[in-house]
Amino acid sequence: MNRSRLGCVRTTVTCLVLLSALFGSVGMAHASEKPNIILLLADDLGYGDLSCFGSPAVKTPHLDRLASEGARLTRFYAGSAVCSPTRASVLTGRYPLRFGITKHFNDVNRWLPESATTVAELLSDAGYNTAHVGKWHLGGLHVDQQGRRLDNQPGPRQHGFQFYQTQIEQQPLRGRMGRERTLFRQGGTVLLRNDLRVGEDDTYHSKHLTDANGDYAMELIEKFSADQKPFFINLWWLVPHKPYEPAPEPHWSATAADGISDDQHRFRSMVEHMDAKVGLLLAKLDELGIADNTLVLFTSDNGAAFEGYLGELKGGKTDLHDGGIRVPMVVRWPAAIPSGQTSDAFGHTNDLLPTFCDAAGVELPSELPLDGMSLLPHLKGGPAPSVDARGTVFWQLDLYKHLQRHYPKPKPFATEVAMRGKWKLLALRGQPVELFDVEADPNEQRNIIDDHPDLVASLTDQLEQWLNAPRTPK
């Protein structure tokens, strides 16, 4: 063989070896790569407020895409019928009552205890970049005259988030903006980013709140994707919580319709605006080539308030019937979750922490008590967790006598729920008042409490034990 040909052979062999090593290492890296995780949490979005969950009015093509390319869970529950308790459930995987959180926070003197272990802390310890964007409502977002965050309450950084951007949650500021209906349109003027108030010279200062949240999340995705570390972004929209405000164009004009109220028009425009930002976020993942190994999950913090759509479900926000706690949930992770799934398996916001840690390969501390369980094996195509494996699930909420709907709150009132499989017991201060078979009667129309005395006694006993369990309020 002449030298020229020998050189060509050697060059070819060398190139093949290098390419083999390169593609082999890329394949191995992808196989062992931890996923990015994005949690999208709406505020007061009802069970039927996405078109993929039957909305007759609102169009949500981007969230529908998320559902079609992943899984849609039709029996998913928020940890409470109001916001702050559910948010504690999302972050900790534990019942809000474990921390003495029994109602929504009032922007004055309540917060999630710093001793609570959060999903952000667990993922940060496992090498993740972590960020919170949007509404917080778990305390610690007050500022001094210079716009610096006060450190007398724990905020996002004390709960494991390395970066954050949210609104200042301080009275009388928030109350005034709510009454004036400027909380969204002037939302950028009261942003707090990484413990400092955003100044007038900041590009986000003039932004609509929904744009500020979506744009900052995409900015972080760009920043984090250039790093070697995976990321967790906790994006909590304020949409479609009151005040109802007109979303910017084209969403305002696109949602005009005959025969609807001004508030209903505003509501629809707000939801479609949020959906459009989700679409841009998904496009950003595609553009960066990281969509395949990014887990994106969307749900709501409680059931629908005034303008939201519940279908035939009973109750609504502030009420423990399913209209107040059953919420839409969709999740996509192309590398691991088969597309086009619909499941009626029970799920709960307590399950999010163990599910995310399972996806990230994070071993949960043996001493960490959790009230949820990983849904990942089921989402990957396995069986749903059995009733025996999950046991009885509980809710507690201080009594709100008024429903945030256009009709009275259902009676009898309830402050607790114990649910085991299809059986749902509602109680008022520990005393049973209603029992429903939510499989046969999902709209909770037939109270069968007198037909199952042994079951009622068993669930009531479990509820009493749960209510009397130790709490960690500080």
Side-chain angles (χ1 to χ4, degrees), residues 100-415:
I101 300 174
T102 63
K103 58 184 176 182
H104 75 281
F105 288 177
N106 59 4
D107 297 336
V108 178
N109 60 358
R110 298 192 182 113
W111 59 89
L112 178 65
E114 192 168 354
S115 61
T117 299
T118 71
V119 62
E121 291 171 335
L122 293 169
L123 293 176
S124 181
D125 289 346
Y128 273 69
N129 282 313
T130 59
H132 174 83
V133 183
K135 181 175 177 177
W136 177 247
H137 224 190
L138 287 172
L141 296 183
H142 297 176
V143 298
D144 62 18
Q145 291 295 322
Q146 287 71 45
R148 293 188 296 265
R149 192 190 76 86
L150 299 175
D151 61 5
N152 60 341
Q153 300 176 9
R157 280 185 161 171
Q158 287 68 45
H159 286 300
F161 293 101
Q162 300 150 5
F163 305 88
Y164 75 88
Q165 178 178 278
T166 184
Q167 280 187 317
I168 296 167
E169 295 178 355
Q170 195 163 336
Q171 296 297 341
L173 178 65
R174 247 165 86 92
R176 176 181 58 78
M177 295 183 75
R179 290 188 299 274
E180 295 173 353
R181 295 197 180 200
T182 58
L183 200 58
F184 285 90
R185 286 172 289 178
Q186 296 179 16
T189 65
V190 290
L191 289 179
L192 184 68
R193 185 187 304 135
N194 302 330
D195 291 350
L196 290 174
R197 185 170 184 167
V198 166
E200 293 183 12
D201 58 341
D202 191 288
T203 56
Y204 282 81
H205 189 268
S206 61
K207 290 194 177 190
H208 186 285
L209 180 60
T210 301
D211 290 323
N213 290 337
D215 293 350
Y216 191 61
M218 286 184 278
E219 184 180 319
L220 288 170
I221 289 171
E222 288 242 19
K223 172 186 174 71
F224 292 156
S225 67
D227 199 343
Q228 296 298 312
K229 298 163 65 174
F231 61 79
F232 169 54
I233 295 178
N234 198 47
L235 174 50
W236 289 358
W237 310 100
L238 185 60
V239 178
H241 193 287
K242 290 183 71 177
Y244 299 127
E245 299 179 32
E249 295 292 359
H251 312 292
W252 179 247
S253 296
T255 50
D258 294 334
I260 63 172
S261 68
D262 185 54
D263 272 354
Q264 180 61 209
H265 186 187
R266 292 171 181 230
F267 174 90
R268 295 183 188 187
S269 74
M270 291 164 70
V271 175
E272 293 197 17
H273 185 197
M274 175 186 68
D275 180 74
K277 299 306 287 191
V278 172
L280 292 174
L281 186 149
L282 297 179
K284 177 61 67 177
L285 298 177
D286 291 336
E287 174 193 325
L288 296 171
I290 58 174
D292 190 55
N293 201 37
T294 299
L295 188 162
V296 183
L297 188 148
F298 176 92
T299 189
S300 179
D301 65 344
N302 49 251
F306 297 98
E307 298 299 328
Y309 181 66
L310 292 169
E312 298 300 317
L313 293 182
K314 186 176 182 178
K317 182 179 178 180
T318 74
D319 182 66
L320 292 174
H321 293 95
D322 267 23
I325 56 176
R326 192 169 173 181
V327 291
M329 195 275 250
V330 296
V331 57
R332 186 190 77 173
W333 180 12
I337 297 175
S339 64
Q341 296 184 78
T342 296
S343 172
D344 62 0
F346 179 90
H348 188 284
T349 50
N350 283 344
D351 299 334
L352 298 183
L353 180 150
T355 299
F356 293 160
C357 287
D358 192 2
V362 175
E363 185 174 348
L364 296 171
S366 58
E367 70 277 10
L368 178 64
L370 292 179
D371 295 309
M373 58 198 310
S374 175
L375 298 174
L376 189 60
H378 176 55
L379 294 173
K380 286 183 172 181
S386 68
V387 174
D388 290 339
R390 185 177 287 277
T392 302
V393 182
F394 303 98
W395 286 260
Q396 184 281 336
L397 182 64
D398 285 1
L399 181 59
Y400 290 71
K401 291 187 177 181
H402 301 286
L403 187 68
Q404 291 193 21
R405 302 287 287 165
H406 295 299
Y407 44 80
K409 188 169 185 175
K411 291 184 178 180
F413 294 153
T415 49

Side-chain angles (χ1 to χ4, degrees), residues 1-18:
M1 184 180 292
N2 62 42
R3 289 185 179 181
S4 175
R5 187 174 179 186
L6 181 61
C8 289
V9 170
R10 285 175 175 169
T11 301
T12 302
V13 170
T14 301
C15 289
L16 289 173
V17 170
L18 289 172

Side-chain angles (χ1 to χ4, degrees), residues 392-396 416-427 434-436 456 458-464 466:
T392 302
V393 182
F394 303 98
W395 286 260
Q396 184 281 336
E416 298 94 26
V417 168
M419 184 185 289
R420 185 191 304 158
K422 66 179 184 177
W423 301 107
K424 180 180 178 183
L425 179 80
L426 290 97
E434 291 181 305
L435 178 71
F436 299 102
V456 170
S458 173
L459 288 172
T460 302
D461 181 63
Q462 287 186 303
L463 176 61
E464 181 180 4
W466 179 73

